[in-house]
Amino acid sequence: MKKILLLLLSAVLALGLLTGCGGKSAPEPVEDSAAGENSAGGEDSAALASFSAGTLDGGAFTQDDVKAKDVTVMNFWALSCGPCIVEMPDLAAFAKALPDTVQVVTVCLDGGGSEDAVREVLDGAGFEGVTLLSADGDLLALAQSLMYTPTTIFMDSEGSLVGDAIIGGQEDLSGTFLAAVNRVLEAGGKDAVSLEE
């Protein structure tokens, strides 16, 4: 009986690792507000023009932080998502290899109240960038519209989403994400970048 249960659990975990995790839990709002006050313009919004988010280290991250870079890569993940945690070391390596004009930010959708667990995952993966745990405005609306984790979006300095979101774990995360970053740069008339070796 234990062998059957172990085989079944292994099969479910393997399937989850290959396909990503469905469902979501949006970040907690930064402040209590009436519905609609922090509207992002609906699910069709194509920009993160106005938002504020709380970071894992207790700071704040806003659209001004997006404006400071040519490209922002935003990875939405969850503690309850096996593929998200499996890809985190690759995401960390990708982030470290990027030039200073490109930033990687993670959004842990179920990390509020579980900060120690979030730190453990990030530290174990070697991720040193910004991680968001709460949000309002356009970012909250976007997070609430997500269907699967991991989901990664790519924004220009104005917060406009460029290209398609990348959903699920990637066999070649660095290559796939670098191509998406360069599409954002090209759309903005900027030179492509390569990963520092």
Side-chain angles (χ1 to χ4, degrees):
M1 179 67 172
K2 286 183 180 181
K3 285 184 180 181
I4 293 173
L5 184 59
L6 183 59
L7 285 173
L8 182 59
L9 182 59
S10 296
V12 169
L13 179 59
L15 182 59
L17 289 173
L18 293 173
T19 61
C21 301
K24 61 184 175 3
S25 175
E28 294 296 318
V30 172
E31 56 190 40
D32 292 334
S33 62
E37 282 184 6
N38 291 323
S39 174
E43 290 183 8
D44 295 330
S45 176
L48 295 182
S50 178
F51 71 92
S52 178
T55 65
L56 179 60
D57 66 4
F61 187 88
T62 69
Q63 65 275 1
D64 291 336
D65 296 296
V66 172
K67 287 180 182 178
K69 301 292 182 177
D70 290 339
V71 180
T72 298
V73 178
M74 192 169 283
N75 175 266
F76 294 86
W77 66 286
L79 290 168
S80 58
C81 170
C84 300
I85 293 170
V86 166
E87 81 171 4
M88 195 59 69
D90 291 338
L91 186 66
F94 174 70
K96 288 177 185 174
L98 289 168
D100 291 339
T101 58
V102 181
Q103 67 182 333
V104 175
V105 175
T106 73
V107 181
C108 186
L109 297 170
D110 60 355
S114 301
E115 289 82 359
D116 288 342
V118 173
R119 281 186 196 92
E120 184 176 327
V121 168
L122 297 173
D123 290 347
F127 184 78
E128 298 172 356
V130 174
T131 294
L132 310 179
L133 297 180
S134 63
D136 67 11
D138 294 345
L139 182 56
L140 178 61
L142 175 64
Q144 290 174 332
S145 72
L146 296 178
M147 300 283 291
Y148 302 99
T149 53
T151 293
T152 305
I153 61 171
F154 302 83
M155 294 175 277
D156 64 16
S157 61
E158 297 304 313
S160 297
L161 280 58
V162 179
D164 294 329
I166 296 176
I167 300 170
Q170 300 299 304
E171 193 169 308
D172 177 15
L173 184 143
S174 289
T176 303
F177 285 13
L178 182 62
V181 164
N182 283 326
R183 279 192 292 275
V184 176
L185 291 168
E186 180 181 297
K190 296 188 179 350
D191 292 335
V193 298
S194 61
L195 299 178
E196 298 171 4
E197 301 285 329

